Amino acid sequence: MNYIEQLGVNAKTAKGEIATCSTAKKNNALMEIAKQLRECCGEILEANAIDLNNAKNAGMSVSMQDRLALDEKRINAIANACENLTKLQDPVGEIDGGSVRPNGMKITRVRVPMGVIGIIYEARPNVTVDAAALCLKSGNAVILRGGKEAFNSNKKLVEIMRKAVGNAGFNADIIQLVGDTSREVATMMMKANGYIDVLIPRGGAGLIRSVVENATVPVIETGTGNCHIFIDETADMDMAVSITDNGKTQRPSVCNALESCLVHKNVAEKFLPLMKAKLDEHNVEIRGCEDTARILGDCVVPVTDDDFNTEFLDYIISVKVVEDVDEAISHIQKYSTGHSECIITKNLENAEKFQSMIDSAAVYVNCSTRFTDGEEFGLGAEIGISTQKLHARGPMGLRELTTIKFLINGNGQIR
């Protein structure tokens, strides 16, 4: 039995307890996790400081260091998210439909936990708590495999959570951390059929591609976010600048940040200088088409097809001037990763066409793509943003971590 299989055995032993326990007991455990996180804030920051120092020495980009960094405010926000989950409806046991057959059999569809969920993710220690808390509330055991960049932070967070769930009367093995961050062990997780019921990758394009291509365990693909904004000719310029700036610079290292801006040719000469002036406050590099360079000058780096395909996760944006909404839609259909797209417009017909024809998980009119988030959508903490269509799409909250069981009651029927 290999290392991951042993973790799987531990999780399978623990999952029966969490799957059938009361909502009140699960909520009590979440409150205990929140309490312990706050009480152990200093220990968490010490562990995170080691990771941040290692990241700086390794030359990690500033935007990626932001993903890795914790402070007292962020730790409190993570604890708040655990508390907020206690206020959300427990999906376990929810009746999802049913019928009485002509022969008298009564069939009921109910929601049940998936069982053991494996999560492979990168340098986001907040994911460690979000994922564990969501799995707990939805009645699942979880095996967490974070990136080596956040190992000390993750180890401390899981240590605290295991203590908390133990205090709440649970087997601590409902939350386990993979202590080996090697690729070989990650591959073991991808092939741990019979131990892990579903695997969720959360991170960059390379990580997600590796899991999707190599896993034999069922996978829910959470998406890279090559997110677009289209500035229509009827757009309010102040709104367009504000939303573009928010989408690109508020937190560029996350998957719902903007990566590409498309501008209607009739407003390009007005909008682009306004956009540049705002983005200059954050030293955003503009990689633009010939029309963009003609309007903005030598500051524009010539854009390539690879740029249009790239999730920068940095202070970089690709820009293209387009003929109309139809060209904008065609461009997005070609380059989008299916995450989040936005149109800024006063034209109802164009807004409806954009929302109808863009096949992404979240399609916005006149508001920032930065809202694609479980908390912002009222789902509580999220496990990730799914860009696939089976079995979940968009921000994945509690309900998306359950599946269906059919309960059939009869009185002697045979076929």
Side-chain angles (χ1 to χ4, degrees):
M1 181 179 296
N2 66 37
Y3 173 55
I4 291 298
E5 288 172 345
Q6 183 58 62
L7 294 183
V9 168
N10 298 343
K12 288 180 73 173
T13 299
K15 76 174 183 178
E17 176 187 347
I18 186 72
T20 58
C21 82
S22 68
T23 301
K25 186 174 180 181
K26 290 187 288 188
N27 285 345
N28 182 54
L30 289 168
M31 294 299 289
E32 182 66 18
I33 288 174
K35 175 187 173 186
Q36 293 294 330
L37 288 172
R38 292 193 180 100
E39 289 183 357
C40 299
C41 180
E43 296 175 35
I44 297 167
L45 293 178
E46 287 178 10
N48 187 243
I50 297 171
D51 289 331
L52 279 172
N53 185 60
N54 292 338
K56 290 173 186 175
N57 291 338
M60 179 185 282
S61 70
V62 172
S63 63
M64 294 305 290
Q65 287 181 42
D66 177 64
R67 279 190 167 201
L68 174 60
L70 293 174
D71 56 26
E72 188 172 344
K73 182 178 178 181
R74 286 187 178 180
I75 292 169
N76 193 57
I78 293 168
N80 287 342
C82 292
E83 291 174 342
N84 289 338
L85 275 177
T86 68
K87 303 170 187 175
L88 298 180
Q89 182 175 336
D90 186 348
V92 178
E94 178 183 304
I95 295 175
D96 201 56
S99 63
V100 178
R101 304 301 299 149
N103 64 2
M105 278 194 322
K106 181 181 180 182
I107 300 176
T108 307
R109 288 163 48 104
V110 298
R111 292 213 158 263
V112 296
M114 287 189 170
V116 178
I117 296 178
I119 303 175
I120 299 179
Y121 56 104
E122 295 176 332
R124 296 278 298 274
N126 65 295
V127 173
T128 302
V129 181
D130 286 353
L134 278 161
C135 288
L136 191 161
K137 177 76 182 229
S138 56
N140 296 287
V142 65
I143 298 174
L144 302 159
R145 191 275 189 186
K148 64 180 183 296
E149 300 86 355
F151 180 74
N152 293 288
S153 305
N154 292 339
K155 183 179 178 182
K156 176 56 65 175
L157 289 167
V158 170
E159 175 189 314
I160 291 166
M161 289 191 291
R162 284 172 61 88
K163 176 184 177 182
V165 297
N167 291 346
F170 284 109
N171 182 337
D173 286 339
I174 62 172
I175 303 172
Q176 294 182 93
L177 178 71
V178 177
D180 184 335
T181 59
S182 68
R183 290 186 178 181
E184 291 76 15
V185 170
T187 301
M188 289 179 191
M189 282 188 75
M190 299 176 203
K191 300 183 184 301
N193 299 73
Y195 298 95
I196 294 175
D197 294 293
V198 65
L199 190 61
I200 302 174
R202 183 168 172 178
L207 168 67
I208 293 168
R209 188 183 311 113
S210 175
V211 174
V212 170
E213 291 176 355
N214 293 295
T216 55
V217 171
V219 173
I220 298 176
E221 183 177 350
T222 63
T224 51
N226 189 9
C227 303
H228 299 76
I229 189 169
F230 169 52
I231 313 304
D232 194 18
E233 64 179 325
T234 63
D236 178 284
M237 290 294 103
D238 289 339
M239 178 190 294
V241 170
S242 174
I243 291 175
T244 302
D245 175 57
N246 178 258
K248 179 69 263 181
T249 69
Q250 196 252 349
R251 200 173 178 195
S253 63
V254 293
C255 62
N256 57 20
L258 282 179
E259 305 294 7
S260 192
C261 179
L262 308 174
V263 187
H264 194 291
K265 65 177 184 178
N266 291 348
V267 294
E269 297 211 14
K270 183 176 183 181
F271 171 75
L272 287 174
L274 295 172
M275 179 197 76
K276 179 184 181 301
K278 191 64 178 174
L279 296 185
D280 279 350
E281 295 176 11
H282 298 272
N283 297 314
V284 176
E285 178 182 307
I286 297 173
R287 299 184 184 179
C289 66
E290 290 182 3
D291 284 335
T292 304
R294 175 180 56 80
I295 295 168
L296 296 182
D298 293 341
C299 66
V300 175
V301 177
V303 73
T304 67
D305 201 58
D306 283 344
D307 291 326
F308 286 134
N309 265 317
T310 298
E311 182 189 28
F312 297 113
L313 300 175
D314 205 345
Y315 290 98
I316 303 169
I317 191 168
S318 62
V319 179
K320 183 179 182 181
V321 177
V322 296
E323 285 287 320
D324 51 26
V325 66
D326 293 316
E327 186 181 352
I329 289 169
S330 294
H331 180 97
I332 294 169
Q333 288 172 335
K334 180 177 180 180
Y335 295 103
S336 172
T337 54
H339 195 294
S340 301
E341 326 296 346
C342 172
I343 181 174
I344 308 300
T345 186
K346 295 178 183 176
N347 185 307
L348 178 60
E349 181 180 349
N350 284 353
E352 290 178 342
K353 175 186 281 191
F354 190 87
Q355 288 191 310
S356 174
M357 296 187 68
I358 295 297
D359 189 20
S360 292
V363 186
Y364 293 83
V365 175
N366 296 336
C367 46
S368 175
T369 60
R370 286 285 288 116
F371 285 106
T372 307
D373 174 83
E375 189 75 32
E376 296 294 339
F377 280 14
L379 305 175
E382 70 183 31
I383 207 79
I385 310 291
S386 171
T387 54
Q388 65 181 42
K389 299 179 183 180
L390 292 176
H391 83 114
R393 195 180 195 194
M396 295 171 56
L398 294 170
R399 202 167 189 272
E400 287 72 32
L401 295 180
T402 61
T403 186
I404 290 294
K405 178 188 285 187
F406 286 88
L407 305 179
I408 305 98
N409 290 353
N411 55 6
Q413 291 89 341
I414 61 173
R415 184 175 180 181

